[in-house]
Amino acid sequence: MHGNVGRVSNRAKPAAFRRQVVPHVRAHYGGGPHERCGPTRAAEPLQKGQDLEVSVRTRRRGRLAAGLWSRRRKRKPHRRRRQRRAHFGELIQVDGSHHQGLEGRGPKGCLMNFVDDATGLALGRFWDQETTWAAADLLPAGVPRQGVPRALYGDWKNVYQRPPTSREAIAGIPPETPFGRLCAQLASGIIAASSPPAQGRVERHHGTHQDRRSKKMRLAGMADYEAANRYVDEQYRDAHKAKLAGRPAAGADFHRRLSKRLDLQWVFCWEAERVVSNDRVVRFENRFWPWKPKRNQGLGAGARVTLEQTREGELRVRFQGRTVPFAGIAKPPPKARPEPQPRVAPRPHKPAANHPGRPGLPLAKRAAKAGGLWK
């Protein structure tokens, strides 16, 4: 064992120096874990302002001994678990799960999942992608049965919520998606989640469905999503509700009744805005939709109209809250393209018999012919 073991180092600072430094550090550079200065940051002003030269390692050991420093690292603040809503129908979490539900027996699909926040009651259906039509077709499946929910909780995917454009941000116009306009007609709001943990309940439902539902569909021998959707509606949903759904904290049902004046066929439709041209025609999906000016005196060139199209393809035009009669013009026939002609290979070029570059002609004769001396 070395002889200096247990002795104070010859380069150690004296105790009086430490008693001078520690109170100064406690007063000016101390604080909580997110407020105090580190050893490097505290050693620099001590050397410049107070003329107290202390190395970083010495400063760290001294603060540890004085209780002014800890080995606790800076971490992000812990997200507090959000309590469930108390009432059934108060909040519905919406999300899509891209998963190989058929386990290789078919293409990859997307499970659109609606989960009640208070009870965990789920409503799901398979689609190709997480689109506006997928969400718009799943919502009316629960509205006639239970009613209109107070709010829907989705992510920042453009289906549910989107950031405002520059024009909307300047004018103060709230951004709205086609699915958002649909929910606005039902007086149901949309809340955008800022992170996946905020939608923890619907995310955990995804894992449950990916495990239980995929195995049950495999045992049933299903190889397409049409049969899978029928199985979900007829068998799986009731079994899932009986096993995993709970009771809300409060007994009141927050679902609202659907107004009799609303026609679900035109509520759950696609909307698009168009501008009337100078000849009173609106163009939509490469077709022209004119109407008679005598029956629509207030509808002139430059007016903005709303075109609504159902999933079945039925179309109507609305202007200032009223339906405008119109007549569609058939799509123009595609232009006839000329049939491609068979490609003929070019004939090889054969120089003339008296061409100066003709091969086989002697060099002297070629030079003389090029200079005009050959006859």
Side-chain angles (χ1 to χ4, degrees):
M1 184 180 296
H2 197 274
N4 289 334
V5 174
R7 296 182 181 180
V8 180
S9 174
N10 295 331
R11 293 179 293 180
K13 299 293 183 181
F17 181 82
R18 296 184 179 183
R19 289 193 297 269
Q20 180 183 2
V21 173
V22 170
H24 186 80
V25 173
R26 180 184 287 110
H28 298 281
Y29 309 108
H34 300 285
E35 301 175 355
R36 62 198 178 195
C37 297
T40 304
R41 178 67 181 85
E44 294 176 357
L46 286 176
Q47 182 178 359
K48 295 180 180 179
Q50 304 296 327
D51 197 16
L52 301 174
E53 184 176 356
V54 186
S55 65
V56 175
R57 292 182 177 273
T58 303
R59 179 71 267 131
R60 182 175 180 275
R61 287 195 297 267
R63 296 182 70 177
L64 283 172
L68 301 179
W69 185 255
S70 63
R71 294 179 176 86
R72 180 182 177 184
R73 296 181 179 180
K74 294 181 180 180
R75 292 184 175 89
K76 295 182 179 180
H78 177 69
R79 295 181 182 270
R80 187 177 61 179
R81 181 182 291 270
R82 183 179 59 81
Q83 297 295 328
R84 290 180 179 267
R85 297 297 177 95
H87 301 86
F88 179 47
E90 187 176 357
L91 183 68
I92 303 295
Q93 294 196 18
V94 187
D95 194 23
S97 173
H98 297 270
H99 179 64
Q100 183 59 264
L102 297 176
E103 298 178 333
R105 301 184 302 275
K108 185 177 180 180
C110 176
L111 174 65
M112 293 297 300
N113 199 6
F114 283 19
V115 178
D116 182 72
D117 190 73
T119 62
L121 185 64
L123 178 67
R125 186 165 295 174
F126 284 102
W127 279 83
D128 296 336
Q129 295 292 333
E130 187 178 2
T131 60
T132 301
W133 280 122
D137 281 0
L138 186 59
L139 185 58
V143 167
R145 183 185 310 171
Q146 299 168 352
V148 180
R150 290 291 181 90
L152 285 89
Y153 195 52
D155 52 19
W156 277 95
K157 187 177 178 64
N158 287 344
V159 174
Y160 315 109
Q161 190 64 276
R162 62 174 177 83
T165 61
S166 57
R167 184 181 65 86
E168 293 172 342
I170 294 173
I173 302 174
E176 196 175 40
T177 62
F179 185 73
R181 289 193 295 268
L182 182 151
C183 294
Q185 295 184 29
L186 298 175
S188 181
I190 295 182
I191 304 173
S194 301
S195 62
Q199 292 184 287
R201 293 185 179 90
V202 69
E203 295 288 349
R204 287 191 293 272
H205 269 254
H206 289 334
T208 303
H209 294 318
Q210 291 174 7
D211 180 39
R212 299 172 63 88
R213 182 183 294 179
S214 299
K215 294 177 180 178
K216 289 185 177 181
M217 290 192 302
R218 184 210 315 156
L219 296 176
M222 297 180 184
D224 60 276
Y225 286 116
E226 294 183 2
N229 287 330
R230 290 194 299 268
Y231 168 73
V232 169
D233 295 336
E234 298 172 0
Q235 302 180 28
Y236 180 82
R237 183 185 301 148
D238 295 337
H240 181 82
K241 175 184 176 181
K243 186 174 182 60
L244 299 178
R247 294 183 178 180
D253 189 354
F254 271 32
H255 284 97
R256 290 189 294 266
R257 293 183 179 179
L258 184 66
S259 176
K260 296 181 179 179
R261 295 179 298 177
L262 292 177
D263 188 0
L264 288 182
Q265 181 184 7
W266 293 107
V267 171
F268 297 97
C269 65
W270 182 268
E271 294 185 1
E273 289 188 357
R274 293 294 186 269
V275 178
V276 181
S277 62
N278 294 332
D279 53 352
R280 298 178 183 271
V281 171
V282 170
R283 184 169 182 173
F284 180 68
E285 290 188 351
N286 201 24
R287 294 183 64 182
F288 299 95
W289 307 90
W291 46 83
K292 298 179 180 180
K294 293 183 179 181
R295 301 183 61 184
N296 304 281
Q297 296 293 339
L299 188 59
R304 289 184 174 273
V305 297
T306 302
L307 286 87
E308 300 175 350
Q309 187 179 31
T310 63
R311 189 62 186 271
E312 291 76 17
E314 189 176 355
L315 184 72
R316 73 177 181 180
V317 182
R318 297 183 64 83
F319 175 69
Q320 295 181 353
R322 60 187 177 89
T323 304
V324 178
F326 63 92
I329 299 178
K331 291 184 179 180
K335 296 182 179 180
R337 296 183 178 181
E339 296 183 0
Q341 299 294 332
R343 187 175 180 180
V344 180
R347 297 177 59 183
H349 176 68
K350 184 177 181 181
N354 57 350
H355 193 274
R358 184 179 179 86
L361 197 65
L363 182 60
K365 291 184 177 182
R366 270 187 288 174
K369 189 175 180 62
L373 301 179
W374 178 262
K375 295 183 179 178

